[in-house]
Amino acid sequence: MTKVKIGSARINEFGQISGGRPGDQTGKECEIEDGYIHPDGWVIIRAKSAGARKKIAQDMVYICSNDLIGYDQPRDESLLNVAKRFDYDCSRVDQVCDCDCAKAVRVCVLYAGIDCPTFYTGNEIEILQKTGAFEVFRDEKYCHDMDNWMVGDILCTPVKGHTVVVVSTEGDNMFGFEFYCDTRQAGEYRTNGTVNIRQFGGTDSKIMGIAPNNATLKADGIICHENALDKDWLHIRYYDLTGFVSENLITKL
C-alpha cells in the first residue's frame, strides 16, 4: 500500500468516455487508487484554507464510495444537478448520475464552499486560480514528488488530460483515517447482530441506516482505516443504502 491515495472519476464500465449506463457499474468508474506521477506531470492546485482542503478530500471520498455516481462525459453535469440538492454532499446522492474527472473535482470545490464556474482539464488551473482561494504550484518539488502533496490537493495535468484529488498521505490522513482499495476484501458479508451503516469510518460518523442481524452486505473493496484503533471500516451496500461498517461486526461469506 503506497503512502499516497488519490480519488477521481476515471472511465466508464467499457473503458470509454461515453456510452455506459448511469451510475458506477464496476465500482471503479470513480475510484480511490495509489498515487502516481502522470506521464504529463501534475500541477498542484492547493486550497489556501485547511478546512477547504479537508472538505475537498472528503467529498471525493464520498464520490468514490457512492456507486450511484459513475463516469460519462455526455452526462457529466448530472452529478452536479443531483448533488446541488444536498449542498454538494455526495454521500447523500440518492439517484444514478454521472460526471467526468473535472466535473467531479468541481463538485468537491463547491462542497468546500468555493464558488467557481464550470471547467474542464484544459482550463481548470486558470479557473480555480482566479477564485483567489487556491495557490498553484508548478515547480518540480511539488509536481513530481508525492512527499510534498497534502490531503485535499487537486492535481491537474498541465495540458488537457486528467485531474484527481489527494485523499490521504503518510502523516496527513484525513480525520485520522486513510483510504485504500483492497479487492481481497470485496465480496458478501453477513452481519453479526444489528449493525449501523455509517456515512464515514468511526463511531462519531452519521448513521445512514441499520442492517439487521444475519443481513447480507456487499463490500466493494474500499477500506477506511481508523489509525487510532488500527481498525478497518468496509464500504458496503445494503439494498439502497451505502456506507461504512466496522470489520468487527461482519463476517465474510
Side-chain angles (χ1 to χ4, degrees), residues 20-21 32 38 43-44 47 60 76 91 99 109 115-116 124 133 147 168 172 175 189 204 218-220 229 233:
R21 294 172 57 194
I32 295 169
H38 194 279
V43 174
I44 310 302
M60 182 55 76
D76 62 7
S91 71
C99 58
V109 169
D115 191 27
C116 64
E124 176 178 344
D147 287 340
S168 82
D172 186 14
F175 325 115
Y189 288 77
D204 292 336
K218 186 174 181 180
D220 56 16
L229 299 178
W233 294 74

Side-chain angles (χ1 to χ4, degrees), residues 24-46:
D24 194 337
Q25 305 302 313
T26 64
K28 296 181 179 295
E29 294 186 35
C30 300
E31 184 181 31
I32 295 169
E33 60 184 323
D34 291 343
Y36 63 91
I37 305 299
H38 194 279
D40 293 327
W42 294 116
V43 174
I44 310 302
I45 310 166
R46 179 173 294 166

Side-chain angles (χ1 to χ4, degrees), residues 176-178 201-203 224-233:
F177 298 88
E178 58 181 314
T203 55
C224 175
H225 184 73
E226 188 173 3
N227 296 320
L229 299 178
D230 193 24
K231 182 170 76 172
D232 285 341
W233 294 74

Side-chain angles (χ1 to χ4, degrees), residues 57-68:
Q58 180 181 15
D59 214 31
M60 182 55 76
V61 171
Y62 292 158
I63 288 172
C64 294
S65 302
N66 190 337
D67 286 342
L68 295 173

Side-chain angles (χ1 to χ4, degrees), residues 10-253:
R10 301 177 66 238
I11 205 73
N12 73 12
E13 67 267 36
F14 303 120
Q16 304 293 326
I17 63 173
S18 63
R21 294 172 57 194
D24 194 337
Q25 305 302 313
T26 64
K28 296 181 179 295
E29 294 186 35
C30 300
E31 184 181 31
I32 295 169
E33 60 184 323
D34 291 343
Y36 63 91
I37 305 299
H38 194 279
D40 293 327
W42 294 116
V43 174
I44 310 302
I45 310 166
R46 179 173 294 166
K48 297 175 182 178
S49 162
R53 293 196 299 271
K54 177 178 175 179
K55 294 198 76 172
I56 289 168
Q58 180 181 15
D59 214 31
M60 182 55 76
V61 171
Y62 292 158
I63 288 172
C64 294
S65 302
N66 190 337
D67 286 342
L68 295 173
I69 303 169
Y71 185 102
D72 188 84
Q73 281 195 0
R75 294 190 299 267
D76 62 7
E77 292 283 357
S78 60
L79 169 61
L80 178 76
N81 296 332
V82 175
K84 187 175 182 179
R85 294 192 285 117
F86 305 110
D87 296 322
Y88 306 105
D89 179 346
C90 289
S91 71
R92 300 173 62 194
V93 166
D94 59 359
Q95 63 189 78
V96 290
C97 55
D98 290 306
C99 58
D100 67 3
C101 61
K103 299 305 187 297
V105 168
R106 184 184 178 216
V107 168
C108 296
V109 169
L110 293 169
Y111 179 65
I114 301 170
D115 191 27
C116 64
T118 191
F119 54 78
Y120 70 105
T121 53
N123 65 0
E124 176 178 344
I125 300 165
E126 177 186 4
I127 292 291
L128 291 179
Q129 190 169 29
K130 282 183 177 179
T131 66
F134 294 90
E135 298 178 281
V136 173
F137 300 95
R138 298 177 183 270
D139 56 299
E140 191 82 10
K141 173 183 175 182
Y142 292 95
C143 302
H144 291 86
D145 187 350
M146 289 188 280
D147 287 340
N148 293 304
W149 296 357
M150 296 176 64
V151 169
D153 278 353
I154 297 168
L155 315 182
C156 185
T157 49
V159 294
K160 181 181 177 182
H162 194 41
T163 183
V164 307
V165 170
V166 177
V167 298
S168 82
T169 67
E170 186 173 57
D172 186 14
N173 299 315
M174 188 173 51
F175 325 115
F177 298 88
E178 58 181 314
F179 298 87
Y180 63 96
C181 296
D182 184 352
T183 56
R184 295 171 299 178
Q185 297 199 56
E188 291 190 339
Y189 288 77
R190 180 71 47 83
T191 56
N192 305 323
T194 301
V195 171
N196 291 325
I197 300 171
R198 296 185 180 274
Q199 184 179 47
F200 207 66
T203 55
D204 292 336
S205 183
K206 178 181 177 182
I207 297 173
M208 308 300 291
I210 296 174
N213 185 36
N214 288 323
T216 300
L217 313 178
K218 186 174 181 180
D220 56 16
I222 292 177
I223 310 299
C224 175
H225 184 73
E226 188 173 3
N227 296 320
L229 299 178
D230 193 24
K231 182 170 76 172
D232 285 341
W233 294 74
L234 278 65
H235 185 255
I236 61 87
R237 175 178 292 279
Y238 177 61
Y239 291 100
D240 292 332
L241 283 172
T242 59
F244 289 89
V245 171
S246 169
E247 63 177 346
N248 299 330
L249 303 177
I250 54 178
T251 300
K252 193 169 186 180
L253 298 177

